[in-house]
Amino acid sequence: MNRKRMVIGALACTICFAGMLTAPLPQTQAAAATYQITYKLPPNPEKYLFLNKQMVSITNPQPLPVGVRPYSSGDSDMHGGGDPQSLNKMYYSYNLKFQTSKKGFLWNVYDFIGTLPPAYPADVNLAELDNRIRSLERLTSEDEQVIQSRAQIHMDARLKPLIQAGYVMPDEIDDEMATKEFVATVLYRMFGATRPYHGGIDLKDSENVAVRWAVEVGLPGFEVDKEGYIYPKSPLSMDPGPNEYGQEYAYERLFHFITLVLPGKKTAEGWEYYQVKLLDGMLPVQLREFILVNGKPYKDNGEYSIDETKEYQNARGKIFQYFVPRFPKMLELARKDAMKPRVWDWSRDLIHHPKFSKQVAAYRKNKSSKNVDAVYQAVR
């Protein structure tokens, strides 16, 4: 029975971008001058897929959006000098707040879709406005209003198409933080028909279908704690539990996920997958997940400086040789996993589920490894 629980526990884990180590194959060792360096190669590499858009080339890219004027949400529009260090801190604080806000999230959703025509007002000459702002040397209160007006024009040009598409409602847009509930609601409206909710998620603090859908899909930033709480009013976070501060990384990971793992390319016919190829020199996992130094995970021991040693490079090469050829299959499995329901409740979703009743009954009768494998394959 213990073995059975171990197998099912492994099955309950969703494929994600940054997984945890599971049962390894035998270790390969290399002696370093000071440290013993070992590495582990897992039998289920798809569980460790780590990928972002900079690591791949997209062979069917989205055409450049028509009519969208170049403008960055990170444009500081600061003039008149000042302490560079203070300005850098101000920019970082502003950018973090923007990226984790509702409007910042929606700005990135618009750019992610890439095909919605922008809604610029016909009576505004943006080129003339840009030239006027570029000519400023010192800012007056009137100049600041002009800059804010331009930023609002660019924002509205992106928000209105999202409203027209039905992805967000006007009364949902404000200057507050993009909570898990808000993010899930927008994405569920976008992808709910392509990836329907299977109804298997039980959360202690949210009955919102969009939130439960986000957990079921395995979206980064929607981590559930051991008690079954998601904290829907909190911002996205890569760690379970309540959190009042936005983490830009969680929002970035989300967009990498919906671009590469979900059918993330918007077309006239619907959503389809981007076709991607791993770039030369890229490793589709986090290397330090598999390196051990004196028997301890290298990722937890940053004080070791072994990256340039021959032994470390040898281990690195072996890990590359193992994972890179497996990348197409790893991505395929990650995409399939995101489209499946989750094993959430042991009794409901497995033991008494009609799809697995035959395999479970065989295990109960014989309790053999063969029966465990049969259950694993059925659920997988």
Side-chain angles (χ1 to χ4, degrees):
M1 190 66 178
N2 288 338
R3 185 174 183 183
K4 178 182 178 183
R5 289 173 178 166
M6 290 174 63
V7 171
I8 303 303
L11 298 180
C13 297
T14 180
I15 293 178
C16 60
F17 281 167
M20 297 184 67
L21 289 175
T22 57
L25 295 178
Q27 297 182 21
T28 302
Q29 299 184 351
T34 307
Y35 307 112
Q36 182 186 42
I37 303 172
T38 61
Y39 62 89
K40 297 179 179 179
L41 300 177
N44 52 342
E46 70 277 4
K47 291 290 183 181
Y48 307 95
L49 180 66
F50 182 90
L51 202 61
N52 61 47
K53 289 181 286 187
Q54 288 71 42
M55 297 169 63
V56 300
S57 63
I58 295 178
T59 59
N60 61 333
Q62 195 71 283
L64 292 176
V66 178
V68 179
R69 293 183 61 82
Y71 183 81
S72 170
S73 60
D75 285 349
S76 62
D77 284 328
M78 292 189 220
H79 300 268
D83 175 43
Q85 186 173 2
S86 297
L87 291 178
N88 286 337
K89 289 181 179 179
M90 185 185 304
Y91 171 75
Y92 174 79
S93 177
Y94 164 79
N95 189 61
L96 176 62
K97 183 177 180 180
F98 181 82
Q99 296 297 333
T100 58
S101 70
K102 288 182 178 180
K103 290 181 179 178
F105 170 72
L106 292 172
W107 178 291
N108 289 325
V109 166
Y110 178 85
D111 285 349
F112 159 78
I113 294 173
T115 59
L116 299 177
Y120 287 112
D123 59 345
V124 173
N125 188 327
L126 284 172
E128 181 179 304
L129 189 58
D130 291 341
N131 290 333
R132 176 182 173 185
I133 291 174
R134 275 194 294 266
S135 68
L136 298 176
E137 295 181 1
R138 307 290 297 185
L139 287 181
T140 66
S141 59
E142 182 180 347
D143 294 333
E144 290 178 349
Q145 291 179 0
V146 173
I147 293 172
Q148 291 173 4
S149 296
R150 181 180 68 167
Q152 190 62 52
I153 290 171
H154 283 287
M155 177 63 73
D156 290 343
R158 289 159 171 79
L159 293 181
K160 289 180 181 178
L162 295 177
I163 293 171
Q164 293 168 354
Y167 298 149
V168 64
M169 302 295 110
D171 61 352
E172 295 171 335
I173 303 173
D174 54 39
D175 294 321
E176 299 302 315
M177 185 172 288
T179 64
K180 295 173 185 175
E181 188 169 273
F182 177 81
V183 171
T185 298
V186 173
L187 295 182
Y188 185 56
R189 289 169 181 159
M190 292 168 60
F191 296 110
T194 299
R195 198 294 189 189
Y197 176 52
H198 297 291
I201 301 299
D202 298 322
L203 299 174
K204 295 287 184 62
D205 55 350
S206 179
E207 295 185 2
N208 185 296
V209 171
V211 174
R212 294 188 172 204
W213 170 85
V215 174
E216 187 176 75
V217 173
L219 296 183
F222 290 83
E223 310 303 324
V224 183
D225 68 13
K226 294 180 180 179
E227 287 72 39
Y229 291 91
I230 185 69
Y231 300 96
K233 301 301 182 182
S234 293
L236 303 190
S237 174
M238 300 306 292
D239 300 310
N243 178 42
E244 59 180 307
Y245 301 106
Q247 303 172 8
E248 184 178 354
Y249 180 72
Y251 291 82
E252 289 178 351
R253 295 304 306 160
L254 175 71
F255 280 99
H256 290 305
F257 184 95
I258 62 177
T259 300
L260 300 174
V261 175
L262 287 183
K265 183 180 180 180
K266 181 71 170 176
T267 70
E269 291 73 33
W271 296 93
E272 64 181 47
Y273 286 111
Y274 281 111
Q275 304 303 314
V276 301
K277 294 178 62 177
L278 192 66
L279 293 175
D280 291 342
M282 292 296 174
L283 180 65
V285 295
Q286 292 182 304
L287 183 65
R288 293 192 177 190
E289 291 274 356
F290 310 99
I291 299 284
L292 301 177
V293 181
N294 293 340
K296 297 180 180 180
Y298 187 24
K299 63 178 181 177
D300 299 332
N301 293 274
E303 68 274 18
Y304 296 122
S305 299
I306 63 168
D307 294 33
E308 302 303 321
T309 65
K310 179 180 178 180
E311 292 74 20
Y312 179 87
Q313 293 301 318
N314 177 63
R316 180 178 181 275
K318 295 295 185 182
I319 294 171
F320 262 85
Q321 292 174 16
Y322 182 74
F323 281 104
V324 170
R326 290 171 170 80
F327 168 69
K329 189 65 175 180
M330 291 168 66
L331 182 59
E332 177 189 354
L333 290 176
R335 288 175 167 179
K336 287 182 178 179
D337 187 78
M339 302 297 282
K340 294 179 180 179
R342 293 287 177 266
V343 177
W344 188 264
D345 180 86
W346 171 272
S347 176
R348 181 196 65 196
D349 299 333
L350 191 69
I351 300 300
H352 296 102
H353 196 289
K355 287 186 177 181
F356 311 120
S357 58
K358 182 178 179 180
Q359 292 86 348
V360 171
Y363 173 82
R364 283 176 164 170
K365 181 178 180 179
N366 301 314
K367 294 183 171 60
S368 69
S369 59
K370 180 180 179 180
N371 297 130
V372 170
D373 291 339
V375 174
Y376 179 91
Q377 293 301 324
V379 177
R380 183 79 190 99

